[in-house]
C-alpha cells in the first residue's frame, strides 16, 4: 500500500536522477515523493513530513479565534450546563407563591383603585412598607403643628396682639390683654401649638378669656391631638403585631421528597417553628396548581386540586411542638398517581403548602405559605431526623442545621399506579390457589418424580 505525500521543501529537485533542472521552481510546483505506509505511530511522529494531507478550505480569521487585527478573541464561558443530558430537560413552572410566602400576583386595569383604597385608609396604611408608614407618622404631626400654628398666628394678628405696643414687653405699660400670653411671632405660635396638641403645658403660654375663638381653637386642637395619636399608634401596633411577622419564624423545608412508606409512594415535606411559644390548633393544607383540560376542551391553566395530607396517623391537625414531616400518600385519589420520575422532570406544576394556627402569646391567627415546583422535589430521598433526646439536658433537642438534610434511598422510578400493578402481580403468584407443595400433588405425579 502506497501513500502520496507532498513535501513543503522547495530545495528538492523534480528531475530524474543524473539530470538537473535548468528552470527555478515556482511556488505552485512541489516535489513528489512516494513513501511506504509507516509501520507504527512512532514513525509518523518522528517524521513530520510524512503526515497525511488535510485539505482545509479558506476560512476567515475569526474561525481560528483571531479578530480582524490579528489579536485573539477573549473566550466566553459556555452557557450550556454540564449536567445537561438529552431528553432530560426540566420544564420549570412560573411560581405563583414564592418560597418566603409572598404571592407572585400583579394587578392592573383596576377602576377607581385610588378611591377604593382611600376609603379603606386604615388597611392601606397597615399594608404600607415601614418607610412609608413612618413617613406618614411624622408628617401627620409636623403638618398638624404647622397648620394649627398658622391658625393661632391669624387669631393673634386679627386681635392685634402682634402690634408693637401690644408685644409681651409692652403689655404692662399699655395695659393690653392678649388672647395668649407670651406670643411675639410665628415661632411662639408654633411652640404653643405643640404644647396644646400634646397637653405639655410648660406654664409660660396660657389662653386668656379675652378671645372666644382662642378658647374654641384650644379645645378643637386638643381633641384632634388625642384622635391623631390614637390613630397612628393603632396603625403602628397593628403593623407590628400582624400575623405576617409571626410567619417569619415558621419554617418549610427547601425541598420536598418522594420515597416509599409502608410500600406506597409518598410525597413529604417538613415544617418547623423556631419559637418556644407554640402555634395553637395548627393545621396544614396543600394544593396542587396544574394545567387541566375539561371534556369540553376548556384549558384551565391554574387549576387547584386539594391534596390529602397528614403527619403520622394524626391527620392534618398538628401538635406542633417540634419539626414534623407532612406526608401525602400517592394513592388512587391522588393527582400524582400516574406520574413517574421522568414525568416529574417534564411536567409543569406547583404544590402550595399553607400552615395556619393561633399564636399562643397574642391570640391572633397566623398563616405561613410556601411552594414547591417540580425541580424542588427530590425523587428517592428521605428526610434526616432532627429531634433527638439529650441525656445531659434531659430534654428533646432539635438540630435545625439538619432541617433541610435528606438521605438518598432506594425508590422505584415508576409511578404509583405501575407500582401497585407490580404488587398485584406479585401477590397473584403468592395466593393459596397458585402456590402448592409436593404434598398437594397427586400420587401419580409424586411416583413419577421419585
Amino acid at each position: 500500500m502506497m501513500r502520496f505525500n507532498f513535501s513543503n521543501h522547495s530545495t528538492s529537485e523534480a528531475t530524474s536522477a543524473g539530470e538537473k533542472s535548468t528552470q527555478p521552481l515556482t511556488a505552485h510546483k512541489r516535489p513528489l515523493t512516494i513513501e511506504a505506509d509507516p509501520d507504527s505511530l512512532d514513525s509518523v511522529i518522528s517524521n513530520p513530513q510524512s503526515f497525511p494531507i488535510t485539505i482545509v478550505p479558506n476560512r476567515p480569521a475569526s474561525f481560528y479565534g483571531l479578530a480582524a487585527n490579528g489579536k485573539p478573541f477573549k473566550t466566553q464561558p459556555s452557557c450550556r450546563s454540564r449536567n445537561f443530558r438529552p431528553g432530560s430537560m426540566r420544564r420549570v413552572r412560573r411560581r405563583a407563591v414564592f418560597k418566603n410566602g409572598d404571592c407572585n400576583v400583579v394587578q392592573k386595569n383596576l377602576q377607581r383603585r385610588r378611591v377604593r383604597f382611600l376609603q379603606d385608609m386604615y388597611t392601606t396604611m397597615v399594608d404600607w412598607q415601614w418607610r412609608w408608614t413612618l413617613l406618614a407618622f411624622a408628617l401627620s404631626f409636623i403638618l398638624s403643628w404647622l397648620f394649627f400654628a398658622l391658625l393661632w398666628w391669624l387669631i393673634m394678628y386679627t386681635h392685634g396682639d402682634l402690634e408693637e405696643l401690644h408685644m409681651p414687653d409692652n403689655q404692662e405699660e399699655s395695659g393690653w390683654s392678649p388672647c395668649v400670653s407670651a406670643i411675639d411671632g410665628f415661632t411662639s405660635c408654633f411652640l404653643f401649638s405643640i404644647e396644646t396638641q400634646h397637653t405639655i403645658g410648660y406654664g409660660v403660654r396660657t389662653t386668656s378669656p379675652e378671645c372666644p375663638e382662642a378658647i374654641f381653637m384650644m379645645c378643637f386642637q386638643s381633641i384632634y391631638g388625642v384622635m391623631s395619636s390614637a390613630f397612628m399608634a393603632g396603625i403602628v401596633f397593628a403593623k407590628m403585631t400582624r400575623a405576617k411577622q409571626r410567619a417569619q419564624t415558621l419554617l418549610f423545608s427547601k425541598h420536598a421528597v418522594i420515597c416509599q412508606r409502608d410500600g406506597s409512594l409518598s410525597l413529604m415535606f417538613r415544617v418547623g417553628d423556631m419559637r418556644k411559644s407554640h402555634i395553637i390548633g395548627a393545621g396544614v393544607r396543600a394544593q396542587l396548581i396544574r394545567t387541566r383540560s375539561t371534556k369540553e376542551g376548556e384549558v384551565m391553566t391554574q387549576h387547584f386540586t386539594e391534596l390529602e395530607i397528614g403527619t403520622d396517623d394524626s391527620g392534618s391537625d398538628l401538635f406542633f411542638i417540634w419539626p414534623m414531616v407532612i406526608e401525602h400518600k400517592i394513592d388512587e385519589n391522588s393527582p400524582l398517581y400516574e406520574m413517574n420520575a421522568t414525568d416529574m422532570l417534564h411536567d409543569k406544576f406547583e404544590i402550595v403548602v399553607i400552615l395556619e394556627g393561633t399564636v399562643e402569646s397574642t391570640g391572633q391567627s397566623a398563616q405561613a405559605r410556601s411552594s414547591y415546583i417540580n425541580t424542588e422535589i427530590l425523587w428517592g430521598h428521605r428526610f434526616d431526623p432532627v429531634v433527638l433526646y439529650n441525656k445531659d439536658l434531659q430534654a428533646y433537642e432539635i438540630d435545625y442545621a439538619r432541617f433541610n438534610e435528606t438521605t438518598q434511598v432506594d425508590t422505584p422510578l415508576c409511578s404509583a399506579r405501575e407500582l401497585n400493578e407490580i404488587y398485584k402481580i406479585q401477590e397473584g403468584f403468592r395466593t393459596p390457589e397458585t402456590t402448592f407443595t409436593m404434598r398437594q400433588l397427586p400420587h401419580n405425579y409424586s411416583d413419577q418424580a421419585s
Side-chain angles (χ1 to χ4, degrees):
M1 180 177 180
M2 309 298 290
R3 184 180 70 249
F4 291 90
N5 184 34
F6 295 95
S7 176
N8 295 329
H9 297 281
S10 60
T11 58
S12 59
E13 297 179 356
T15 58
S16 60
E19 295 182 1
K20 294 183 180 180
S21 176
T22 57
Q23 297 179 357
L25 295 175
T26 59
H28 63 276
K29 292 183 179 181
R30 294 181 181 179
L32 175 65
T33 60
I34 301 177
E35 297 179 356
D37 192 32
D39 297 333
S40 64
L41 182 63
D42 296 336
S43 62
V44 176
I45 297 176
S46 60
N47 186 15
Q49 298 179 2
S50 63
F51 288 170
I53 298 176
T54 303
I55 300 176
V56 179
N58 294 329
R59 293 190 176 102
S62 60
F63 177 83
Y64 303 98
L66 299 176
N69 54 3
K71 296 182 180 180
F73 287 120
K74 294 183 179 180
T75 59
Q76 299 293 335
S78 176
C79 60
R80 183 173 178 177
S81 175
R82 295 183 179 179
N83 297 328
F84 174 78
R85 295 293 184 273
S88 64
M89 180 64 70
R90 296 187 175 186
R91 299 172 61 188
V92 181
R93 178 182 176 85
R94 293 181 291 270
R95 189 184 296 273
V97 178
F98 293 111
K99 300 296 288 186
N100 60 354
D102 294 339
C103 297
N104 188 19
V105 178
V106 178
Q107 299 175 351
K108 69 174 185 178
N109 298 331
L110 293 176
Q111 298 180 357
R112 302 179 60 191
R113 180 177 181 271
R114 295 183 178 180
V115 176
R116 295 176 183 271
F117 275 56
L118 290 176
Q119 291 176 353
D120 189 12
M121 191 63 186
Y122 183 81
T123 306
T124 302
M125 297 185 68
V126 171
D127 292 338
W128 278 352
Q129 296 181 357
W130 269 109
R131 56 177 176 266
W132 302 116
T133 303
L134 296 177
L135 179 62
F137 186 85
L139 290 178
S140 65
F141 289 105
I142 296 175
L143 295 179
S144 63
W145 295 338
L146 292 174
F147 175 73
F148 284 105
L150 180 61
L151 295 180
W152 284 113
W153 184 85
L154 292 175
I155 293 175
M156 302 298 114
Y157 181 80
T158 55
H159 189 260
D161 296 342
L162 300 180
E163 297 180 2
E164 185 65 27
L165 297 177
H166 300 160
M167 287 294 177
D169 297 337
N170 302 326
Q171 288 177 1
E172 294 183 0
E173 299 179 358
S174 61
W176 182 259
S177 297
C179 293
V180 180
S181 59
I183 297 295
D184 55 0
F186 184 80
T187 303
S188 57
C189 291
F190 179 76
L191 296 176
F192 182 72
S193 174
I194 298 175
E195 296 176 13
T196 304
Q197 184 166 334
H198 299 285
T199 63
I200 297 175
Y202 289 118
V204 177
R205 301 177 182 88
T206 58
T207 306
S208 64
E210 294 292 332
C211 300
E213 60 273 16
I215 298 175
F216 173 79
M217 183 59 62
M218 182 183 63
C219 297
F220 180 77
Q221 188 176 4
S222 299
I223 296 173
Y224 174 82
V226 173
M227 294 180 62
S228 63
S229 299
F231 182 77
M232 296 306 301
I235 291 176
V236 174
F237 178 79
K239 193 172 182 64
M240 294 180 63
T241 60
R242 60 179 177 171
K244 185 177 181 180
Q245 304 301 328
R246 181 62 177 90
Q248 301 300 322
T249 55
L250 298 176
L251 305 179
F252 292 90
S253 59
K254 184 179 179 180
H255 295 91
V257 299
I258 292 180
C259 64
Q260 280 186 296
R261 269 194 176 184
D262 298 328
S264 300
L265 292 177
S266 297
L267 171 71
M268 292 174 286
F269 60 93
R270 179 180 280 167
V271 294
D273 188 4
M274 298 174 59
R275 291 190 178 274
K276 292 184 178 180
S277 58
H278 305 301
I279 300 295
I280 302 174
V284 62
R285 297 187 297 115
Q287 292 183 344
L288 175 67
I289 305 178
R290 192 179 183 184
T291 303
R292 175 180 176 270
S293 298
T294 62
K295 297 180 181 180
E296 295 76 14
E298 179 185 2
V299 179
M300 307 170 65
T301 56
Q302 292 86 23
H303 182 264
F304 286 80
T305 304
E306 191 75 20
L307 300 180
E308 296 182 2
I309 59 176
T311 172
D312 301 332
D313 294 329
S314 60
S316 59
D317 296 332
L318 310 179
F319 181 52
F320 203 22
I321 59 175
W322 50 49
M324 308 189 75
V325 176
I326 310 301
E327 176 187 2
H328 166 66
K329 187 176 181 180
I330 305 177
D331 53 9
E332 294 82 358
N333 300 323
S334 173
L336 307 177
Y337 185 61
E338 299 183 356
M339 186 177 297
N340 54 28
T342 304
D343 297 336
M344 191 71 65
L345 295 176
H346 290 79
D347 204 348
K348 297 172 61 177
F349 65 90
E350 181 178 0
I351 299 177
V352 179
V353 293
I354 303 171
L355 177 62
E356 297 175 325
T358 304
V359 182
E360 183 181 22
S361 56
T362 61
Q364 293 183 345
S365 299
Q367 183 185 87
R369 299 180 297 266
S370 185
S371 68
Y372 302 97
I373 57 178
N374 59 337
T375 58
E376 297 172 347
I377 298 178
L378 305 178
W379 191 288
H381 285 250
R382 179 185 300 161
F383 284 109
D384 295 339
V386 296
V387 181
L388 299 174
Y389 186 78
N390 193 326
K391 296 182 179 180
D392 298 334
L393 300 177
Q394 294 185 357
Y396 288 95
E397 188 177 45
I398 303 174
D399 185 8
Y400 276 99
R402 301 174 58 86
F403 184 79
N404 294 314
E405 297 295 330
T406 60
T407 301
Q408 190 171 3
V409 295
D410 294 335
T411 304
L413 299 179
C414 61
S415 63
R417 181 183 61 82
E418 297 171 346
L419 184 61
N420 289 341
E421 292 178 356
I422 295 174
Y423 286 158
K424 289 180 181 179
I425 295 174
Q426 293 178 352
E427 292 177 357
F429 286 106
R430 296 175 184 174
T431 54
E433 291 78 5
T434 58
T435 58
F436 48 82
T437 61
M438 292 297 294
R439 296 180 181 179
Q440 297 173 332
L441 292 174
H443 293 286
N444 54 354
Y445 284 101
S446 61
D447 296 338
Q448 293 178 4
S450 62

